Amino acid sequence: MAKKSLSSGRREESLSQERIIEASIELLDSSGESGLTFRALAERLATGPGAIYWHIDNKTDLLTAACDAIIARTMQESRSGDTAKQSIRAVALGIFDAIDAHPWVGSALTHAPGQLPVVRILERIGQQVRAMGVPADKQWATVSALLNYILGVSGQNAANTHMARTRGLDRANFLGAIANDWSQLDPVEYPFTRSIAGQLPIHDDRLDFVAGIDLILDGL
Amino acid sequence: MAKKSLSSGRREESLSQERIIEASIELLDSSGESGLTFRALAERLATGPGAIYWHIDNKTDLLTAACDAIIARTMQESRSGDTAKQSIRAVALGIFDAIDAHPWVGSALTHAPGQLPVVRILERIGQQVRAMGVPADKQWATVSALLNYILGVSGQNAANTHMARTRGLDRANFLGAIANDWSQLDPVEYPFTRSIAGQLPIHDDRLDFVAGIDLILDGL
DNA sequence: ACCTGAACACCGTTCAAGT
DNA sequence: ACCTGAACACCGTTCAAGT
């Protein structure tokens, strides 16, 4: 008997960087960072682990490439904004939302300094900072403050959702558990943390994120 | 023949959390994040991998505990500062330097949201923000902006030194290599990144870091 | 109570051998 | 040129067995 075309949704194409990256993203989204293994990837692509190495150098590169695919999409979608400030806000929020949806992108960005995905963000922000008329000798400091803030908050946010998923909780319950820990800290040593514990589960991270961006933009 | 007391610097004490954490820090400092394994740790402590599990629950906890030891020390050392602003600058710089000396602390902080090491920093900044007279309803946003910025920059900085070490380069050479990549980007798509490439290897990260802190503080 | 060390169930990566 | 899949050198973690 000849093999029927029992394609399960997808045609039988040969392996390629794109197909590998696409499958990696699916795996990362569904099973998190630890879900991306060459064996799981090989099974999903109906091949052996060795085949993947023909198209990709190592796991680090694979993760950076998957991260770049998400960031590239995000940058294309967040082109809106009439003024430079609005454009910066739009990029920042785009990244925030992308990392919220794909937590693994947060740590991938942190572990690939100076690489393509980070450069895409850097460039976009840099062009807007220039458009705002920031003098040349202050552009670097401004852009790097913004970039670091964006990557920092998004990374922390991703860590939260990732930890929550790891423990099988939703975000609210996870933050609630931390708030509970905080409220039981020593009142003498940790007065501030205790006092804001209640705000942790209810406050809007996204709103505070934009507030921080504005804080930096206004400081110029 | 009876065993002589061939102690190599350290008395033969029984295993304990402190000794394990101390050995972990030494291992992390000398061989990086990938150098911390239960087998290497067991060898350094002259015991078996299983023994460590009697004192520590798992590797994640071990890393957080090692991170906390460094942060606790750092917080004690950076108590200086006459005004609240100066105090915040002092803590920020203390953390920056600590993470520069122990790059693994950067990613450990990122992966332990809401845990003790982060809370130590949060508390210190929170108390100073209060002392500055920031109104209660804006304290959270202010503190979280500062905290995220500090963790973000320090994390990126740690990633740089870590990547440099991984490739056997010093920091300057590593940044030089990235600058070289940047200067070869498409001039139409990446004008800004190209234009600042030259500044990457020579600019002072520490200085820009404080500049960013001031930017946020001034925005209040 | 605390330690030992073999064993389990994984990893990323390589490489001879196939087509 | 591209793929296969066994093999290598590791991991974190567990657990019966010892003291």
Side-chain angles (χ1 to χ4, degrees), chain A residues 8-27:
Chain A
S8 60
R10 165 160 288 287
R11 295 285 161 283
E12 314 209 14
E13 295 158 18
S14 67
L15 224 46
S16 68
Q17 279 215 38
E18 285 102 56
R19 278 198 64 206
I20 294 173
I21 291 170
E22 184 192 341
S24 300
I25 292 175
E26 287 169 17
L27 222 39

Side-chain angles (χ1 to χ4, degrees), chain B residues 102-193:
Chain B
H102 316 275
W104 51 273
V105 170
S107 66
L109 282 172
T110 305
H111 291 110
Q115 302 284 98
L116 192 49
V118 175
V119 168
R120 287 187 203 275
I121 305 171
L122 179 80
E123 178 67 31
R124 188 66 74 79
I125 296 174
Q127 290 183 8
Q128 301 303 331
V129 165
R130 266 196 185 160
M132 285 173 65
V134 173
D137 63 319
K138 292 202 169 178
Q139 286 175 8
W140 170 275
T142 309
V143 172
S144 108
L146 283 166
L147 182 68
N148 281 314
Y149 177 78
I150 292 172
L151 296 186
V153 186
S154 307
Q156 285 299 114
N157 203 47
N160 275 331
T161 60
H162 179 253
M163 291 293 288
R165 280 185 200 170
T166 301
R167 308 194 184 169
L169 299 169
D170 63 2
R171 194 189 173 72
N173 278 327
F174 174 68
L175 293 178
I178 291 182
N180 190 46
D181 289 348
W182 285 9
S183 65
Q184 273 157 17
L185 288 167
D186 184 322
V188 176
E189 263 190 295
Y190 297 98
F192 179 78
T193 307

Side-chain angles (χ1 to χ4, degrees), chain A residues 130-148:
Chain A
R130 265 197 185 159
M132 284 173 66
V134 173
D137 63 320
K138 292 203 169 179
Q139 286 174 8
W140 170 275
T142 309
V143 172
S144 109
L146 283 166
L147 182 68
N148 281 313

Side-chain angles (χ1 to χ4, degrees), chain B:
Chain B
M1 276 221 200
K3 233 204 216 166
K4 292 241 188 85
S5 73
L6 39 75
S7 67
S8 61
R10 165 160 288 285
R11 298 284 161 281
E12 314 211 13
E13 296 158 17
S14 67
L15 224 47
S16 68
Q17 278 215 39
E18 284 102 56
R19 279 198 63 207
I20 295 174
I21 291 170
E22 185 193 340
S24 298
I25 292 174
E26 287 169 18
L27 222 40
L28 286 161
D29 283 345
S30 63
S31 332
E33 220 147 339
S34 65
L36 180 64
T37 66
F38 280 83
R39 281 165 183 83
L41 199 51
E43 196 187 11
R44 203 181 193 87
L45 293 165
T47 172
I52 297 166
Y53 277 92
W54 184 262
H55 302 273
I56 255 101
D57 273 356
N58 51 56
K59 194 177 176 177
T60 308
D61 282 9
L62 177 56
L63 227 133
T64 305
C67 170
D68 192 50
I70 301 284
I71 294 296
R73 272 180 228 166
T74 307
M75 298 312 268
Q76 245 173 359
E77 287 161 7
S78 62
R79 284 211 173 278
S80 62
D82 294 338
T83 68
K85 272 197 187 186
Q86 280 171 11
S87 294
I88 290 177
R89 255 189 232 111
V91 193
L93 276 176
I95 294 167
F96 184 90
D97 292 337
I99 295 182
D100 197 47
H102 316 275
W104 51 273
V105 170
S107 66
L109 282 172
T110 305
H111 291 110
Q115 302 284 98
L116 192 49
V118 175
V119 168
R120 287 187 203 275
I121 305 171
L122 179 80
E123 178 67 31
R124 188 66 74 79
I125 296 174
Q127 290 183 8
Q128 301 303 331
V129 165
R130 266 196 185 160
M132 285 173 65
V134 173
D137 63 319
K138 292 202 169 178
Q139 286 175 8
W140 170 275
T142 309
V143 172
S144 108
L146 283 166
L147 182 68
N148 281 314
Y149 177 78
I150 292 172
L151 296 186
V153 186
S154 307
Q156 285 299 114
N157 203 47
N160 275 331
T161 60
H162 179 253
M163 291 293 288
R165 280 185 200 170
T166 301
R167 308 194 184 169
L169 299 169
D170 63 2
R171 194 189 173 72
N173 278 327
F174 174 68
L175 293 178
I178 291 182
N180 190 46
D181 289 348
W182 285 9
S183 65
Q184 273 157 17
L185 288 167
D186 184 322
V188 176
E189 263 190 295
Y190 297 98
F192 179 78
T193 307
R194 277 175 62 102
S195 75
I196 56 161
Q199 294 179 52
L200 181 60
I202 38 170
H203 97 288
D204 187 333
D205 304 86
R206 221 178 102 103
L207 223 79
D208 279 353
F209 174 65
V210 203
I213 295 282
D214 289 340
L215 215 61
I216 297 178
L217 290 177
D218 292 347
L220 295 177

Side-chain angles (χ1 to χ4, degrees), chain A residues 182-211:
Chain A
W182 285 10
S183 65
Q184 273 157 18
L185 287 167
D186 184 321
V188 176
E189 263 190 295
Y190 297 98
F192 178 77
T193 308
R194 277 175 61 103
S195 76
I196 56 161
Q199 293 179 53
L200 182 59
I202 38 170
H203 95 290
D204 187 333
D205 303 87
R206 221 178 103 104
L207 222 79
D208 280 354
F209 173 65
V210 203

Side-chain angles (χ1 to χ4, degrees), chain A residues 25-190:
Chain A
I25 292 175
E26 287 169 17
L27 222 39
L28 286 161
D29 283 345
S30 63
S31 333
E33 220 148 339
S34 66
L36 180 64
T37 66
F38 280 83
R39 282 165 182 85
L41 199 52
E43 196 187 11
R44 203 183 194 87
L45 292 165
T47 171
I52 297 167
Y53 277 92
W54 185 262
H55 301 272
I56 255 100
D57 273 354
N58 51 54
K59 196 178 174 175
T60 307
D61 281 9
L62 178 55
L63 227 134
T64 305
C67 171
D68 193 49
I70 301 285
I71 294 296
R73 271 179 229 165
T74 307
M75 298 313 268
Q76 244 172 0
E77 286 161 8
S78 62
R79 284 212 172 276
S80 61
D82 294 338
T83 68
K85 273 198 186 187
Q86 279 170 12
S87 293
I88 291 177
R89 254 189 234 111
V91 193
L93 277 176
I95 294 166
F96 184 89
D97 292 339
I99 295 182
D100 197 48
H102 315 276
W104 52 272
V105 170
S107 64
L109 282 172
T110 305
H111 291 109
Q115 303 283 99
L116 193 49
V118 175
V119 168
R120 286 188 204 275
I121 305 172
L122 178 81
E123 178 67 30
R124 186 67 73 81
I125 296 175
Q127 290 184 8
Q128 300 305 329
V129 165
R130 265 197 185 159
M132 284 173 66
V134 173
D137 63 320
K138 292 203 169 179
Q139 286 174 8
W140 170 275
T142 309
V143 172
S144 109
L146 283 166
L147 182 68
N148 281 313
Y149 177 78
I150 292 171
L151 297 187
V153 186
S154 307
Q156 286 297 116
N157 203 47
N160 276 331
T161 59
H162 178 253
M163 291 293 288
R165 278 185 202 171
T166 300
R167 307 193 183 170
L169 299 169
D170 62 2
R171 192 189 175 72
N173 279 327
F174 174 70
L175 292 179
I178 291 182
N180 191 48
D181 289 348
W182 285 10
S183 65
Q184 273 157 18
L185 287 167
D186 184 321
V188 176
E189 263 190 295
Y190 297 98

